[in-house]
């Protein structure tokens, strides 16, 4: 059992499902992002999932991230779940359980169904023995995840005919599905109408009553920050995200976890570009990083209040 103070998602998801809201799962790469997320959650009195990807661990070193998230938990007293995002092997899931993660994603969604079942079931057996919960995925989102690019032609929606067998044979605790979200800042082509496939979500939840569903690739890519990037030396033309009213609708249905990374990256990048552009002589990182941290906090608060509906739940 974990010695660290993190909670699993079991209670969070049970209440979120019943209450028609979703828990935010925010990706952490450094201290300012962690503080932006947890300061927002504290002000919103919101339970929160902080997730770390394998490439974030390569960047920052897992021990640094775990210790900083542990410090955030002590500082805020929040129920925090520490989750592995897009774990790609049994070994990485086992490794992070050793660090005290309370939730792992095994993402074998690019593998054939039987292989996905096999590795997922192996992770579930190990994780459950250690008091840790498991998320897995069926279907394939377009976009960039953990340095792997999935092209639109290789993406495909989740097939509702597969979900019962997958959940029953693996014993997972939550299921990520593909209904039209995608990773990164370029989710839809300009001129197309972004539309999530609520019919698939409904069909999945009919077949898995009461079971928590997860949405990846759910950033809304705020035009305000895209503009800030582009007006300050950046170039992100045609960055388009998921309309927030559609995410709110998903949160009121069976979706209990919504993953947000790109929106925080965009706030951080836009803030830095603007600040440094307007203050060319500043070279104290505390000055520009605190602006970025404040803006990340604002983004996360906005998600909690207007998209996830998870405020005042603790
Ligand atoms: O889905 C992927 C997340 O946005 C994490 O991205 O692997 O670049 O840390 P990353
Ligand atoms: P976005 O790129 O839409 O923020 O998605 C993040 C995600 O799904 C992390 O797993
Ligand atoms: Zn993802």
């Amino acid at each position: 059992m974990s010695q660290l103070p993190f909670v699993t998602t079991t209670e969070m998801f049970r209440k979120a499902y019943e209450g028609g809201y979703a828990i935010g799962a925010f990706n952490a790469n450094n201290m300012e992002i962690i503080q932006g997320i947890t300061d927002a959650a504290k002000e919103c009195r919101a339970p929160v999932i902080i997730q770390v990807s394998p490439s974030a661990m390569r960047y920052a070193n897992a021990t640094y991230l775990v210790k900083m998230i542990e410090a955030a938990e002590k500082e805020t007293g929040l129920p925090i779940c520490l989750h592995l995002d897009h774990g790609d092997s049994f070994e990485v899931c086992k490794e992070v359980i050793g660090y005290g993660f309370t939730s792992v994603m095994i993402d074998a969604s690019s593998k054939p169904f039987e292989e996905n079942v096999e590795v997922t079931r192996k992770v579930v057996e190990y994780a459950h023995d250690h008091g840790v919960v498991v998320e897995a995925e069926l279907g394939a989102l377009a976009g960039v995840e953990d340095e792997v690019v999935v092209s639109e032609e290789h993406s495909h929606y989740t097939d509702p005919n597969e979900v019962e067998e997958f959940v029953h044979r693996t014993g997972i605790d939550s299921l990520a599905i593909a209904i039209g979200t995608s990773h990164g800042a370029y989710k839809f082509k300009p001129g197309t109408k972004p539309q999530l496939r609520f019919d698939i979500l409904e069909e999945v939840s009919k077949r898995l009553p009461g079971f928590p569903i997860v949405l990846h690739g759910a950033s809304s890519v705020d035009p305000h920050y895209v503009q800030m990037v582009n007006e300050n030396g950046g170039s992100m033309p045609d960055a388009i995200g998921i309309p927030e009213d559609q995410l709110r609708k998903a949160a009121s249905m069976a979706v209990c976890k919504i993953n947000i990374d790109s929106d925080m990256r965009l706030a951080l990048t836009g803030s830095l570009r603007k600040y440094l552009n307007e203050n060319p002589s500043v070279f104290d990182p505390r000055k520009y990083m605190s602006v970025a941290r404040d803006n990340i906090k604002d983004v996360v608060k906005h998600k909690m209040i207007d998209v996830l509906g998870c405020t005042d739940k603790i």
Side-chain angles (χ1 to χ4, degrees):
M1 279 293 209
S2 159
Q3 297 304 307
L4 290 173
F6 306 118
V7 299
T8 71
T9 49
T10 309
E11 271 301 288
M12 286 185 188
F13 286 171
R14 193 185 56 74
K15 291 184 185 161
Y17 201 107
E18 282 169 11
Y21 62 91
I23 310 291
F26 300 95
N27 286 72
N29 299 309
N30 66 18
M31 183 187 77
E32 286 77 7
I33 295 175
I34 293 167
Q35 291 176 334
I37 298 165
T38 52
D39 288 352
K42 189 174 180 190
E43 281 186 22
C44 290
R45 297 180 39 77
V48 70
I49 299 166
I50 300 185
Q51 53 189 14
V52 171
S53 68
S55 59
M57 294 198 288
R58 284 194 290 279
Y59 167 71
N61 177 325
T63 305
Y64 280 78
L65 292 173
V66 172
K67 290 293 169 195
M68 287 191 289
I69 297 166
E70 201 183 331
E73 189 278 339
K74 279 208 179 70
E75 199 61 32
T76 59
L78 286 168
I80 296 176
C81 168
L82 176 56
H83 174 76
L84 172 70
D85 192 26
H86 295 287
D88 55 1
S89 66
F90 171 78
E91 286 70 28
V92 70
C93 293
K94 185 175 171 194
E95 181 192 354
V96 303
I97 289 170
Y99 286 123
F101 282 50
T102 44
S103 175
V104 294
M105 176 191 194
I106 173 70
D107 183 1
S109 57
S110 61
K111 305 261 184 344
F113 184 83
E114 282 303 321
E115 257 181 76
N116 191 354
V117 168
E118 196 182 320
V119 64
T120 301
R121 192 172 51 202
K122 187 173 170 193
V123 170
V124 168
E125 277 167 17
Y126 185 85
H128 285 183
D129 272 355
H130 292 76
V132 169
V133 292
V134 180
E135 171 189 327
E137 180 169 327
L138 274 178
L141 274 68
V144 186
E145 83 193 23
D146 206 49
E147 295 162 359
V148 176
V149 181
V150 180
S151 67
E152 237 174 77
E153 61 184 299
H154 288 113
S155 67
H156 57 90
Y157 295 121
T158 302
D159 179 356
N161 293 315
E162 293 183 343
V163 298
E164 277 166 284
E165 183 185 347
F166 186 74
V167 168
H168 293 135
R169 284 179 63 193
T170 57
I172 53 169
D173 304 278
S174 60
L175 177 69
I177 61 170
I179 57 166
T181 59
S182 78
H183 288 105
Y186 305 91
K187 300 184 194 296
F188 297 99
K189 296 219 162 46
T192 58
K193 194 171 169 285
Q195 183 58 57
L196 297 185
R197 289 286 304 272
F198 288 106
D199 55 322
I200 300 179
L201 174 57
E202 252 163 32
E203 192 54 41
V204 167
S205 53
K206 255 190 228 150
R207 293 174 187 233
L208 297 171
F211 193 78
I213 301 301
V214 177
L215 282 192
H216 282 247
S219 279
S220 50
V221 188
D222 186 344
H224 165 72
Y225 282 114
V226 176
Q227 192 180 346
M228 196 183 282
V229 168
N230 289 334
E231 283 176 356
N232 290 281
S235 176
M236 295 185 70
D238 304 335
I240 299 172
I242 315 288
E244 292 191 335
D245 57 336
Q246 294 188 27
L247 295 167
R248 183 69 202 97
K249 180 174 171 185
S252 73
M253 298 166 70
V255 170
C256 293
K257 172 175 181 270
I258 291 189
N259 287 7
I260 310 281
D261 188 8
S262 298
D263 280 335
M264 293 186 300
R265 291 182 180 194
L266 206 49
L268 196 157
T269 305
S271 309
L272 292 192
R273 283 193 177 280
K274 182 169 190 287
Y275 187 91
L276 292 170
N277 210 9
E278 290 173 354
N279 301 275
S281 59
V282 171
F283 74 110
D284 180 344
R286 294 170 297 187
K287 294 232 163 74
Y288 49 82
M289 289 307 287
S290 55
V291 176
R293 181 174 55 193
D294 286 350
N295 285 336
I296 290 169
K297 178 179 165 186
D298 282 352
V299 165
V300 173
K301 274 181 76 172
H302 163 65
K303 298 287 172 190
M304 289 175 160
I305 296 167
D306 300 316
V307 180
L308 301 155
C310 62
T311 57
D312 292 318
K313 305 298 182 200
I314 52 175

